[in-house]
Coordinates of all heavy atoms in Angstrom, one line a residue:
Chain A
M1 N -12.9 3.4 -4.0 CA -12.3 1.9 -3.9 C -13.1 1.1 -3.0 O -13.0 1.5 -1.7 CB -10.8 2.2 -3.5 CG -10.2 0.8 -3.2 SD -9.7 -0.1 -4.7 CE -8.4 0.8 -5.4
S2 N -13.8 0.1 -3.3 CA -14.4 -0.8 -2.5 C -14.4 -2.2 -3.0 O -14.8 -3.1 -2.3 CB -15.9 -0.3 -2.1 OG -16.6 -0.3 -3.4
G3 N -13.9 -2.3 -4.3 CA -13.7 -3.7 -4.9 C -12.4 -4.4 -4.6 O -12.0 -4.3 -3.4
V4 N -11.8 -4.9 -5.6 CA -10.6 -5.6 -5.6 C -9.4 -4.7 -6.1 O -9.3 -4.5 -7.3 CB -10.6 -6.9 -6.1 CG1 -9.3 -7.7 -6.2 CG2 -11.8 -7.8 -5.8
P5 N -8.6 -4.2 -5.2 CA -7.6 -3.3 -5.8 C -6.5 -4.1 -6.4 O -6.2 -5.1 -5.9 CB -7.1 -2.5 -4.5 CG -7.4 -3.5 -3.4 CD -8.6 -4.3 -3.8
R6 N -5.9 -3.5 -7.4 CA -4.8 -4.1 -8.1 C -3.9 -3.0 -8.5 O -4.3 -1.9 -8.7 CB -5.2 -5.1 -9.2 CG -5.9 -4.2 -10.4 CD -6.4 -5.2 -11.5 NE -7.4 -6.1 -11.0 CZ -7.5 -7.5 -11.0 NH1 -6.5 -8.1 -11.5 NH2 -8.6 -8.1 -10.5
F7 N -2.7 -3.3 -8.8 CA -1.7 -2.3 -9.4 C -2.2 -2.0 -10.9 O -2.4 -3.0 -11.5 CB -0.3 -2.8 -9.3 CG 0.2 -2.9 -7.9 CD1 0.4 -4.0 -7.2 CD2 0.7 -1.6 -7.2 CE1 0.9 -4.0 -5.9 CE2 1.1 -1.6 -6.0 CZ 1.2 -2.8 -5.2
A8 N -1.9 -0.8 -11.2 CA -2.3 -0.4 -12.6 C -1.1 -0.9 -13.6 O 0.0 -1.3 -13.0 CB -2.3 1.1 -12.7
P9 N -1.4 -1.1 -14.8 CA -0.5 -1.5 -15.7 C 0.9 -0.7 -15.7 O 0.8 0.5 -15.6 CB -1.0 -1.3 -17.1 CG -2.5 -1.3 -16.8 CD -2.7 -0.8 -15.5
G10 N 2.0 -1.4 -15.6 CA 3.3 -0.5 -15.6 C 3.7 -0.2 -14.1 O 4.7 0.5 -13.9
V11 N 2.8 -0.7 -13.2 CA 3.2 -0.2 -11.8 C 3.4 -1.5 -11.0 O 2.6 -2.6 -11.2 CB 2.0 0.6 -11.2 CG1 2.3 0.9 -9.7 CG2 1.7 1.8 -11.9
R12 N 4.4 -1.6 -10.2 CA 4.7 -2.8 -9.5 C 5.4 -2.4 -8.1 O 6.1 -1.4 -8.1 CB 5.6 -3.8 -10.2 CG 7.0 -3.2 -10.6 CD 7.7 -4.1 -11.5 NE 9.0 -3.6 -11.7 CZ 9.4 -2.6 -12.5 NH1 8.5 -2.0 -13.3 NH2 10.7 -2.2 -12.7
L13 N 5.3 -3.3 -7.1 CA 5.9 -3.2 -5.8 C 7.2 -4.0 -6.0 O 7.2 -5.2 -6.4 CB 5.0 -3.8 -4.8 CG 5.7 -3.9 -3.3 CD1 5.8 -2.4 -2.8 CD2 4.7 -4.7 -2.5
Q14 N 8.3 -3.4 -5.7 CA 9.6 -3.9 -5.8 C 10.6 -3.6 -4.7 O 10.5 -2.5 -4.1 CB 10.2 -3.8 -7.2 CG 10.7 -2.4 -7.4 CD 11.3 -2.2 -8.8 OE1 10.9 -2.5 -9.8 NE2 12.6 -1.6 -8.7
E15 N 11.5 -4.4 -4.5 CA 12.5 -4.2 -3.5 C 13.7 -3.5 -4.0 O 14.2 -3.7 -5.1 CB 13.0 -5.5 -2.7 CG 14.0 -5.3 -1.7 CD 14.5 -6.6 -1.0 OE1 14.3 -7.6 -1.7 OE2 15.0 -6.5 0.1
D16 N 14.0 -2.2 -3.3 CA 15.2 -1.5 -3.7 C 16.3 -1.9 -2.7 O 16.4 -1.5 -1.7 CB 14.8 0.1 -3.4 CG 16.0 1.0 -3.8 OD1 17.0 0.4 -4.0 OD2 15.9 2.2 -3.6
R17 N 17.0 -3.0 -3.2 CA 18.0 -3.6 -2.3 C 19.2 -2.6 -2.0 O 19.9 -2.7 -0.9 CB 18.6 -4.8 -2.9 CG 17.6 -5.9 -3.1 CD 18.0 -7.2 -3.5 NE 17.0 -8.2 -3.5 CZ 17.2 -9.4 -3.9 NH1 18.3 -9.8 -4.3 NH2 16.2 -10.3 -3.9
A18 N 19.5 -1.7 -2.8 CA 20.6 -0.8 -2.6 C 20.4 0.0 -1.5 O 21.3 0.4 -0.7 CB 20.9 0.0 -3.9
R19 N 19.0 0.4 -1.4 CA 18.7 1.4 -0.2 C 17.9 0.6 0.9 O 17.5 1.3 1.9 CB 17.9 2.4 -0.7 CG 18.6 3.3 -1.7 CD 17.9 4.5 -2.3 NE 18.7 5.1 -3.4 CZ 18.3 6.3 -4.0 NH1 17.4 6.9 -3.5 NH2 19.1 6.8 -4.9
G20 N 17.8 -0.7 0.9 CA 17.2 -1.5 1.8 C 15.7 -1.0 2.1 O 15.2 -0.8 3.2
R21 N 14.8 -0.9 1.1 CA 13.5 -0.5 1.2 C 12.8 -1.1 0.1 O 13.3 -1.5 -0.9 CB 13.4 1.0 1.1 CG 13.8 1.6 -0.1 CD 13.9 3.1 0.0 NE 14.1 3.7 -1.5 CZ 14.4 4.9 -1.7 NH1 14.3 5.9 -0.7 NH2 14.7 5.3 -2.9
W22 N 11.4 -0.9 0.2 CA 10.4 -1.3 -0.8 C 9.9 -0.1 -1.4 O 9.6 0.9 -0.8 CB 9.4 -2.3 -0.3 CG 9.8 -3.7 0.0 CD1 10.6 -4.0 1.1 CD2 9.7 -4.8 -0.9 NE1 10.9 -5.4 0.9 CE2 10.4 -5.9 -0.2 CE3 9.1 -5.0 -2.1 CZ2 10.4 -7.1 -0.7 CZ3 9.2 -6.3 -2.7 CH2 9.8 -7.4 -2.0
I23 N 9.6 -0.2 -2.7 CA 9.1 1.0 -3.4 C 8.1 0.6 -4.4 O 8.1 -0.6 -4.8 CB 10.2 1.8 -4.3 CG1 11.0 0.8 -5.3 CG2 11.1 2.4 -3.3 CD1 12.0 1.6 -6.1
V24 N 7.2 1.5 -4.9 CA 6.2 1.2 -5.8 C 6.8 2.0 -7.0 O 6.8 3.2 -7.0 CB 4.7 1.6 -5.4 CG1 3.8 1.4 -6.7 CG2 4.3 0.9 -4.2
M25 N 7.2 1.2 -8.1 CA 7.5 1.9 -9.3 C 6.4 2.1 -10.2 O 5.6 1.3 -10.5 CB 8.7 0.9 -10.0 CG 10.0 1.0 -9.3 SD 10.7 2.5 -9.3 CE 10.9 2.9 -11.1
A26 N 6.3 3.3 -10.6 CA 5.4 3.7 -11.6 C 6.0 4.5 -12.7 O 7.1 5.1 -12.6 CB 4.2 4.5 -11.0
P27 N 5.3 4.6 -13.9 CA 5.9 5.4 -15.0 C 6.3 6.8 -14.5 O 5.4 7.6 -14.0 CB 4.9 5.6 -16.1 CG 4.0 4.2 -15.8 CD 4.1 4.0 -14.3
E28 N 7.5 7.2 -14.6 CA 8.1 8.7 -14.3 C 8.1 8.9 -12.9 O 8.2 10.0 -12.5 CB 7.3 9.6 -15.1 CG 7.5 9.5 -16.6 CD 6.9 10.5 -17.5 OE1 6.1 11.5 -16.8 OE2 6.9 10.5 -18.7
R29 N 7.6 8.0 -11.9 CA 7.6 8.4 -10.6 C 7.7 7.1 -9.7 O 7.5 6.0 -10.2 CB 6.5 9.2 -10.2 CG 5.0 8.5 -10.5 CD 4.1 9.5 -10.5 NE 2.8 8.9 -11.1 CZ 1.7 9.3 -10.7 NH1 1.3 10.2 -9.8 NH2 0.6 8.7 -11.4
M30 N 7.9 7.3 -8.4 CA 7.9 6.1 -7.5 C 7.3 6.6 -6.2 O 7.2 7.9 -5.9 CB 9.3 5.5 -7.3 CG 10.1 6.4 -6.5 SD 11.7 5.6 -6.3 CE 12.8 6.9 -5.5
F31 N 6.8 5.6 -5.5 CA 6.2 5.9 -4.2 C 7.0 5.1 -3.1 O 7.3 4.0 -3.3 CB 4.7 5.4 -4.1 CG 3.9 6.1 -5.2 CD1 3.8 5.5 -6.5 CD2 3.2 7.2 -4.9 CE1 2.9 6.1 -7.5 CE2 2.4 7.9 -5.9 CZ 2.3 7.4 -7.1
I32 N 7.3 5.8 -2.1 CA 8.0 5.1 -1.0 C 7.2 5.0 0.3 O 6.8 5.9 0.9 CB 9.2 6.0 -0.7 CG1 10.2 6.3 -1.9 CG2 10.2 5.3 0.4 CD1 11.2 7.3 -1.6
P33 N 6.8 3.7 0.5 CA 5.8 3.5 1.6 C 6.5 3.4 2.9 O 7.7 2.9 2.9 CB 5.1 2.2 1.2 CG 6.1 1.5 0.4 CD 6.9 2.5 -0.3
D34 N 6.0 3.8 4.1 CA 6.4 3.4 5.4 C 6.0 1.9 5.7 O 5.4 1.3 4.8 CB 6.0 4.4 6.4 CG 4.5 4.3 6.7 OD1 3.7 3.4 6.2 OD2 4.1 5.0 7.6
E35 N 6.4 1.4 6.9 CA 6.2 0.1 7.1 C 4.8 -0.3 7.2 O 4.4 -1.5 6.8 CB 6.9 -0.4 8.4 CG 6.4 0.3 9.6 CD 7.2 1.6 10.0 OE1 7.6 2.3 9.1 OE2 7.2 1.9 11.1
I36 N 3.9 0.5 7.5 CA 2.5 0.2 7.6 C 1.9 0.2 6.2 O 1.2 -0.8 5.7 CB 1.6 1.2 8.5 CG1 2.2 1.2 10.0 CG2 0.2 0.9 8.4 CD1 2.0 0.0 10.7
A37 N 2.2 1.2 5.4 CA 1.8 1.3 4.1 C 2.3 0.1 3.2 O 1.5 -0.5 2.3 CB 2.3 2.5 3.3
L38 N 3.5 -0.4 3.5 CA 4.0 -1.6 2.9 C 3.2 -2.8 3.2 O 3.0 -3.6 2.3 CB 5.5 -1.7 3.2 CG 6.2 -3.0 2.7 CD1 6.1 -3.1 1.1 CD2 7.7 -3.2 3.2
E39 N 2.8 -2.9 4.5 CA 2.0 -4.1 4.8 C 0.6 -4.2 4.1 O 0.1 -5.2 3.7 CB 1.7 -4.2 6.4 CG 2.9 -4.5 7.3 CD 3.5 -5.8 7.1 OE1 2.8 -6.7 6.8 OE2 4.8 -5.9 7.2
I40 N 0.2 -2.9 3.8 CA -1.1 -2.9 3.1 C -0.8 -3.2 1.6 O -1.5 -4.0 1.0 CB -1.7 -1.5 3.1 CG1 -2.1 -1.0 4.6 CG2 -2.9 -1.4 2.2 CD1 -2.4 0.4 4.8
L41 N 0.3 -2.8 1.0 CA 0.6 -2.9 -0.4 C 0.9 -4.5 -0.7 O 0.5 -4.9 -1.6 CB 1.7 -2.1 -0.8 CG 1.4 -0.6 -0.9 CD1 2.6 0.3 -1.1 CD2 0.5 -0.4 -2.0
R42 N 1.4 -5.1 0.4 CA 1.8 -6.6 0.2 C 0.5 -7.4 0.0 O 0.6 -8.4 -0.6 CB 2.5 -7.0 1.4 CG 4.0 -6.7 1.6 CD 4.6 -7.4 2.7 NE 5.9 -6.7 3.1 CZ 7.1 -7.0 2.7 NH1 7.0 -7.8 1.6 NH2 8.0 -6.5 3.0
L43 N -0.6 -6.8 0.5 CA -1.8 -7.6 0.4 C -2.6 -7.2 -0.8 O -3.7 -7.8 -1.0 CB -2.8 -7.3 1.7 CG -2.1 -7.7 3.0 CD1 -2.9 -7.1 4.3 CD2 -2.0 -9.2 3.1
V44 N -2.2 -6.3 -1.6 CA -2.8 -5.9 -2.9 C -2.3 -6.9 -3.9 O -1.2 -6.7 -4.6 CB -2.6 -4.5 -3.2 CG1 -3.0 -4.1 -4.6 CG2 -3.0 -3.5 -2.3
D45 N -3.1 -7.9 -4.1 CA -2.7 -9.0 -4.9 C -3.7 -9.3 -6.1 O -3.6 -10.3 -6.9 CB -2.4 -10.3 -4.1 CG -3.8 -10.7 -3.5 OD1 -4.8 -10.1 -3.6 OD2 -3.7 -11.7 -2.7
G46 N -4.7 -8.5 -6.2 CA -5.7 -8.5 -7.2 C -6.7 -9.6 -7.0 O -7.5 -10.0 -7.8
V47 N -6.6 -10.2 -5.8 CA -7.5 -11.3 -5.5 C -8.4 -10.8 -4.2 O -9.5 -10.9 -4.1 CB -6.8 -12.7 -5.1 CG1 -7.8 -13.7 -4.5 CG2 -6.1 -13.2 -6.3
R48 N -7.6 -10.3 -3.2 CA -8.3 -9.9 -1.9 C -9.1 -8.6 -2.3 O -8.6 -7.6 -2.9 CB -7.2 -9.6 -0.9 CG -6.6 -10.8 -0.3 CD -5.7 -10.3 0.9 NE -5.1 -11.3 1.5 CZ -3.8 -11.9 1.3 NH1 -3.2 -11.4 0.2 NH2 -3.3 -12.9 1.9
D49 N -10.3 -8.5 -1.7 CA -11.0 -7.2 -1.7 C -10.6 -6.4 -0.6 O -9.8 -6.9 0.3 CB -12.5 -7.3 -1.9 CG -13.1 -8.0 -0.7 OD1 -12.4 -8.2 0.3 OD2 -14.3 -8.5 -0.8
E50 N -11.1 -5.2 -0.5 CA -10.7 -4.3 0.5 C -11.0 -4.8 1.9 O -10.2 -4.6 2.9 CB -11.4 -2.8 0.4 CG -10.8 -1.7 1.4 CD -11.5 -0.4 1.0 OE1 -11.5 -0.1 -0.1 OE2 -11.9 0.2 1.9
A51 N -12.1 -5.4 2.0 CA -12.6 -6.1 3.3 C -11.7 -7.1 3.9 O -11.3 -7.2 4.9 CB -14.0 -6.6 3.2
A52 N -11.1 -8.0 2.8 CA -10.3 -9.0 3.2 C -8.9 -8.4 3.5 O -8.2 -9.0 4.4 CB -10.0 -10.0 1.8
I53 N -8.4 -7.4 3.0 CA -7.2 -6.7 3.3 C -7.3 -6.3 4.7 O -6.4 -6.5 5.5 CB -7.0 -5.6 2.3 CG1 -6.5 -6.2 0.9 CG2 -5.8 -4.7 2.8 CD1 -6.3 -5.2 -0.2
V54 N -8.4 -5.6 5.0 CA -8.5 -5.0 6.4 C -8.6 -6.2 7.4 O -8.0 -6.1 8.5 CB -9.9 -4.2 6.4 CG1 -10.1 -3.8 7.9 CG2 -9.9 -2.9 5.6
A55 N -9.3 -7.3 7.2 CA -9.4 -8.4 8.0 C -8.1 -8.9 8.3 O -7.7 -9.3 9.3 CB -10.3 -9.5 7.4
A56 N -7.3 -9.0 7.3 CA -5.9 -9.6 7.4 C -5.0 -8.7 8.3 O -4.3 -9.2 9.1 CB -5.2 -9.8 6.0
L57 N -5.2 -7.4 8.1 CA -4.3 -6.4 8.9 C -4.9 -6.4 10.3 O -4.0 -6.4 11.2 CB -4.5 -5.0 8.4 CG -3.9 -4.8 7.0 CD1 -4.3 -3.7 6.3 CD2 -2.3 -4.8 7.1
A58 N -6.1 -6.7 10.6 CA -6.7 -6.6 11.9 C -6.2 -7.8 12.8 O -6.2 -7.8 14.0 CB -8.2 -6.7 11.8
E59 N -5.8 -8.8 12.1 CA -5.1 -10.1 12.8 C -3.7 -9.7 13.3 O -3.2 -10.3 14.1 CB -5.2 -11.2 11.9 CG -6.5 -11.8 11.6 CD -6.4 -13.0 10.7 OE1 -5.3 -13.4 10.4 OE2 -7.4 -13.7 10.4
T60 N -3.1 -8.7 12.6 CA -1.6 -8.5 12.8 C -1.4 -7.2 13.8 O -0.4 -7.3 14.5 CB -0.9 -8.4 11.5 OG1 -1.1 -9.6 10.7 CG2 0.6 -8.2 11.8
F61 N -2.3 -6.3 13.5 CA -2.1 -5.0 14.2 C -3.1 -4.8 15.4 O -4.3 -5.2 15.3 CB -2.2 -3.9 13.2 CG -1.1 -3.9 12.3 CD1 -1.2 -4.5 11.1 CD2 0.1 -3.2 12.7 CE1 -0.1 -4.5 10.2 CE2 1.1 -3.3 11.7 CZ 1.1 -3.8 10.6
A62 N -2.7 -4.2 16.4 CA -3.5 -3.9 17.5 C -4.2 -2.5 17.3 O -3.7 -1.5 17.8 CB -2.6 -3.9 18.8
A63 N -5.4 -2.6 16.6 CA -6.1 -1.4 16.4 C -7.6 -1.9 16.1 O -7.7 -3.0 15.5 CB -5.6 -0.6 15.3
P64 N -8.5 -1.1 16.5 CA -9.9 -1.4 16.0 C -10.0 -1.5 14.4 O -9.4 -0.7 13.8 CB -10.8 -0.3 16.6 CG -9.9 0.3 17.6 CD -8.5 0.2 17.2
A65 N -10.8 -2.6 14.0 CA -10.9 -2.8 12.6 C -11.4 -1.4 11.9 O -11.0 -1.3 10.6 CB -11.9 -4.0 12.3
E66 N -12.3 -0.7 12.5 CA -12.8 0.4 11.7 C -11.7 1.5 11.6 O -11.8 2.3 10.6 CB -14.0 1.0 12.6 CG -13.8 1.4 13.9 CD -14.1 0.3 15.0 OE1 -14.0 -0.9 14.5 OE2 -14.4 0.7 16.0
V67 N -10.8 1.5 12.5 CA -9.7 2.5 12.3 C -8.7 2.0 11.1 O -8.3 2.8 10.3 CB -8.8 2.6 13.6 CG1 -7.4 3.4 13.5 CG2 -9.6 3.2 14.8
I68 N -8.5 0.8 11.2 CA -7.6 0.3 10.0 C -8.4 0.4 8.8 O -7.8 0.8 7.8 CB -7.4 -1.2 10.3 CG1 -6.5 -1.4 11.5 CG2 -6.7 -2.0 9.2 CD1 -6.2 -2.9 12.0
A69 N -9.8 0.1 8.8 CA -10.4 0.2 7.4 C -10.4 1.7 6.9 O -10.3 1.9 5.8 CB -11.9 -0.2 7.7
A70 N -10.6 2.6 7.8 CA -10.5 4.1 7.4 C -9.2 4.4 6.7 O -9.2 5.0 5.7 CB -10.9 5.0 8.6
D71 N -8.1 4.0 7.5 CA -6.8 4.4 7.0 C -6.5 3.6 5.6 O -5.9 4.2 4.6 CB -5.7 4.0 7.9 CG -5.6 4.9 9.1 OD1 -6.1 6.1 9.0 OD2 -5.1 4.7 10.2
V72 N -7.0 2.3 5.6 CA -6.7 1.6 4.2 C -7.4 2.2 3.1 O -7.0 2.4 2.0 CB -7.2 0.1 4.5 CG1 -7.2 -0.7 3.1 CG2 -6.1 -0.6 5.3
R73 N -8.8 2.5 3.4 CA -9.6 3.2 2.4 C -8.9 4.5 1.9 O -8.9 4.7 0.7 CB -10.9 3.5 3.0 CG -11.7 4.5 2.1 CD -12.3 3.8 0.9 NE -13.0 2.6 1.1 CZ -14.5 2.5 1.3 NH1 -15.1 3.6 1.1 NH2 -15.0 1.4 1.4
M74 N -8.4 5.3 2.9 CA -7.8 6.6 2.4 C -6.6 6.4 1.7 O -6.4 7.1 0.6 CB -7.5 7.4 3.7 CG -6.9 8.8 3.4 SD -6.7 9.8 4.9 CE -8.3 9.7 5.6
M75 N -5.7 5.3 2.0 CA -4.4 5.1 1.2 C -4.8 4.7 -0.2 O -4.2 5.0 -1.2 CB -3.6 4.2 2.0 CG -2.2 4.0 1.5 SD -1.2 2.7 2.2 CE -1.2 1.6 0.9
L76 N -5.7 3.6 -0.3 CA -6.1 3.0 -1.4 C -6.7 4.1 -2.4 O -6.4 4.1 -3.6 CB -7.0 1.8 -1.3 CG -6.4 0.7 -0.6 CD1 -7.4 -0.5 -0.5 CD2 -5.1 0.2 -1.3
D77 N -7.5 4.9 -1.9 CA -8.2 5.9 -2.8 C -7.1 6.9 -3.2 O -7.2 7.3 -4.4 CB -9.3 6.7 -1.8 CG -10.5 6.0 -1.7 OD1 -10.6 4.9 -2.4 OD2 -11.5 6.3 -0.9
D78 N -6.2 7.2 -2.3 CA -5.1 8.2 -2.9 C -4.2 7.7 -4.0 O -4.0 8.3 -4.8 CB -4.2 8.5 -1.5 CG -3.2 9.5 -1.8 OD1 -3.5 10.6 -2.5 OD2 -1.9 9.4 -1.5
L79 N -3.8 6.4 -3.7 CA -3.0 5.7 -4.8 C -3.9 5.4 -6.1 O -3.2 5.6 -7.2 CB -2.5 4.4 -4.3 CG -1.3 4.6 -3.3 CD1 -0.9 3.2 -2.8 CD2 -0.1 5.2 -3.9
T80 N -5.2 5.3 -6.0 CA -6.0 5.1 -7.1 C -6.2 6.5 -7.9 O -6.0 6.6 -9.1 CB -7.4 4.6 -6.7 OG1 -7.3 3.3 -6.0 CG2 -8.2 4.5 -7.9
A81 N -6.3 7.6 -7.1 CA -6.4 8.8 -7.7 C -5.1 9.2 -8.4 O -5.1 10.0 -9.4 CB -6.7 9.9 -6.6
K82 N -4.0 8.7 -7.9 CA -2.7 9.1 -8.5 C -2.4 8.1 -9.6 O -1.3 8.2 -10.2 CB -1.5 9.1 -7.5 CG -1.7 10.2 -6.5 CD -0.7 10.2 -5.4 CE -0.8 11.5 -4.5 NZ 0.0 11.4 -3.4
G83 N -3.2 7.1 -9.9 CA -3.0 6.2 -11.0 C -2.1 5.0 -10.8 O -1.8 4.2 -11.7
A84 N -1.8 4.7 -9.5 CA -1.0 3.7 -9.2 C -1.7 2.4 -8.9 O -1.3 1.3 -9.2 CB -0.1 3.9 -7.9
L85 N -3.0 2.6 -8.5 CA -3.9 1.4 -8.4 C -5.1 1.6 -9.2 O -5.4 2.7 -9.6 CB -4.3 1.3 -6.9 CG -3.3 1.0 -5.8 CD1 -3.9 0.8 -4.5 CD2 -2.4 -0.3 -6.2
R86 N -5.8 0.5 -9.4 CA -7.2 0.5 -10.1 C -8.0 -0.5 -9.3 O -7.5 -1.4 -8.7 CB -7.0 0.2 -11.5 CG -6.5 -1.2 -11.9 CD -6.6 -1.4 -13.3 NE -6.2 -0.5 -14.1 CZ -6.3 -0.4 -15.5 NH1 -6.7 -1.5 -16.1 NH2 -6.0 0.6 -16.2
D87 N -9.3 -0.1 -9.4 CA -10.4 -0.9 -8.8 C -10.8 -2.0 -9.7 O -11.7 -1.7 -10.6 CB -11.4 0.0 -8.4 CG -12.3 -0.6 -7.3 OD1 -12.1 -1.8 -7.1 OD2 -13.3 0.1 -6.8
G88 N -10.1 -3.2 -9.5 CA -10.3 -4.2 -10.6 C -11.8 -5.0 -10.4 O -12.4 -4.9 -9.5
Chain B
I1 N 2.8 -11.9 15.7 CA 3.0 -10.9 16.7 C 2.1 -9.6 16.3 O 2.0 -9.2 15.3 CB 4.4 -10.5 16.7 CG1 5.3 -11.6 17.1 CG2 4.8 -9.2 17.7 CD1 6.8 -11.5 16.9
V2 N 1.5 -9.2 17.4 CA 0.6 -7.9 17.2 C 1.4 -6.7 17.3 O 2.1 -6.6 18.2 CB -0.4 -8.0 18.3 CG1 -1.4 -6.7 18.2 CG2 -1.4 -9.2 18.2
M3 N 1.4 -5.9 16.4 CA 2.0 -4.7 16.2 C 1.2 -3.6 16.3 O 0.0 -3.6 16.1 CB 2.8 -4.7 14.8 CG 3.9 -5.8 14.6 SD 4.8 -5.7 13.1 CE 3.7 -6.5 12.0
A4 N 1.8 -2.4 16.7 CA 1.2 -1.1 16.8 C 0.6 -0.5 15.4 O 1.5 -0.7 14.4 CB 1.9 -0.2 17.5
W5 N -0.5 -0.1 15.4 CA -1.0 0.5 14.0 C -0.8 2.1 14.0 O -0.9 2.6 15.1 CB -2.4 0.2 13.9 CG -3.1 0.8 12.6 CD1 -3.7 2.0 12.6 CD2 -3.1 0.3 11.3 NE1 -4.1 2.2 11.3 CE2 -3.7 1.2 10.5 CE3 -2.5 -0.9 10.8 CZ2 -3.8 0.9 9.1 CZ3 -2.6 -1.2 9.4 CH2 -3.3 -0.2 8.7
K6 N -0.4 2.6 13.0 CA -0.4 4.0 12.9 C -0.9 4.3 11.4 O -0.8 3.5 10.5 CB 1.0 4.5 13.0 CG 2.1 4.2 12.1 CD 3.5 4.6 12.5 CE 4.5 4.1 11.4 NZ 5.8 4.7 11.8
T7 N -1.2 5.6 11.1 CA -1.6 5.9 9.9 C -0.6 5.7 8.8 O 0.5 6.3 8.9 CB -2.2 7.4 9.8 OG1 -3.3 7.6 10.8 CG2 -2.6 7.8 8.4
P8 N -0.9 5.0 7.7 CA 0.1 4.7 6.7 C 0.6 6.0 5.9 O -0.2 6.8 5.7 CB -0.4 3.7 5.7 CG -2.0 3.9 6.0 CD -2.2 4.3 7.2
R9 N 1.8 6.0 5.6 CA 2.4 7.2 4.9 C 3.1 6.7 3.7 O 3.8 5.8 3.7 CB 3.4 8.1 5.8 CG 2.8 8.4 7.0 CD 2.0 9.7 6.9 NE 1.4 10.2 8.2 CZ 0.2 10.8 8.3 NH1 -0.4 11.1 7.3 NH2 -0.2 11.2 9.4
I10 N 2.8 7.6 2.6 CA 3.6 7.2 1.3 C 4.1 8.5 0.8 O 3.5 9.6 0.7 CB 2.7 6.6 0.3 CG1 2.3 5.2 0.7 CG2 3.4 6.5 -1.1 CD1 1.3 4.5 -0.2
V11 N 5.5 8.5 0.4 CA 6.1 9.6 -0.2 C 6.2 9.4 -1.7 O 6.7 8.4 -2.1 CB 7.5 9.9 0.4 CG1 8.2 11.0 -0.3 CG2 7.4 10.1 1.8
E12 N 5.7 10.4 -2.5 CA 5.7 10.2 -3.9 C 7.0 11.1 -4.4 O 7.2 12.2 -4.0 CB 4.5 10.9 -4.6 CG 4.4 10.8 -6.1 CD 3.1 11.2 -6.6 OE1 2.3 11.7 -5.8 OE2 3.0 11.3 -7.9
V13 N 7.7 10.4 -5.3 CA 8.9 11.0 -5.9 C 8.9 11.1 -7.3 O 8.6 10.0 -8.0 CB 10.3 10.2 -5.4 CG1 11.5 10.9 -5.9 CG2 10.2 10.2 -3.8
S14 N 9.1 12.2 -8.0 CA 9.1 12.2 -9.4 C 10.5 11.7 -9.9 O 11.6 12.1 -9.3 CB 9.0 13.6 -9.8 OG 9.4 13.8 -11.2
L15 N 10.6 10.7 -10.8 CA 11.8 10.2 -11.2 C 12.6 11.3 -12.0 O 13.8 11.2 -12.0 CB 11.6 9.0 -12.1 CG 11.1 7.7 -11.1 CD1 10.9 6.5 -12.0 CD2 12.1 7.4 -10.0
A16 N 11.9 12.2 -12.7 CA 12.5 13.2 -13.5 C 13.3 14.0 -12.6 O 14.5 14.4 -12.8 CB 11.6 14.1 -14.1

């Protein structure tokens, strides 16, 4: 994953109001992100590329950009391998 | 507000 990540068809980020959390709904399964993962997923809009996502996070979080970039890459790659994201 | 960073975690749940 190094291009523009986007949610795969049939996959969406949505609020689970009953349980007070956000989830990624996918066919036959769902993903429950922690607060950091959620911040990353909010930036997956089909427009921002991976570098833009990292830059946006680096403005908000107190961590070296390379640390954020490595974690973002790992998470996006993992979700892509599981079919929740695609490299658009 | 600058927040602390930690490695993101995602739990996968089978709806079945």
Side-chain angles (χ1 to χ4, degrees):
Chain A
M1 172 76 66
S2 57
V4 178
R6 65 182 70 232
F7 288 102
V11 179
R12 65 189 185 280
L13 178 65
Q14 69 178 54
E15 187 176 11
D16 178 357
R17 292 186 178 178
R19 301 186 186 186
R21 65 186 183 187
W22 284 80
I23 56 176
V24 176
M25 283 300 298
E28 299 183 358
R29 59 195 166 150
M30 66 179 176
F31 300 90
I32 306 170
D34 71 0
E35 62 270 29
I36 301 291
L38 177 58
E39 290 295 328
I40 297 170
L41 290 169
R42 286 183 196 279
L43 296 170
V44 173
D45 56 7
V47 176
R48 290 183 175 93
D49 63 11
E50 190 176 313
I53 289 173
V54 171
L57 292 166
E59 289 182 1
T60 305
F61 290 94
E66 57 268 27
V67 171
I68 294 174
D71 284 343
V72 168
R73 167 68 59 89
M74 188 176 298
M75 192 189 102
L76 295 181
D77 282 351
D78 184 46
L79 286 175
T80 300
K82 290 176 176 172
L85 295 180
R86 59 171 46 180
D87 198 352
Chain B
I1 295 170
V2 175
M3 297 182 282
W5 178 263
K6 62 179 183 179
T7 299
R9 301 283 179 207
I10 295 182
V11 176
E12 183 178 358
V13 178
S14 164
L15 292 180

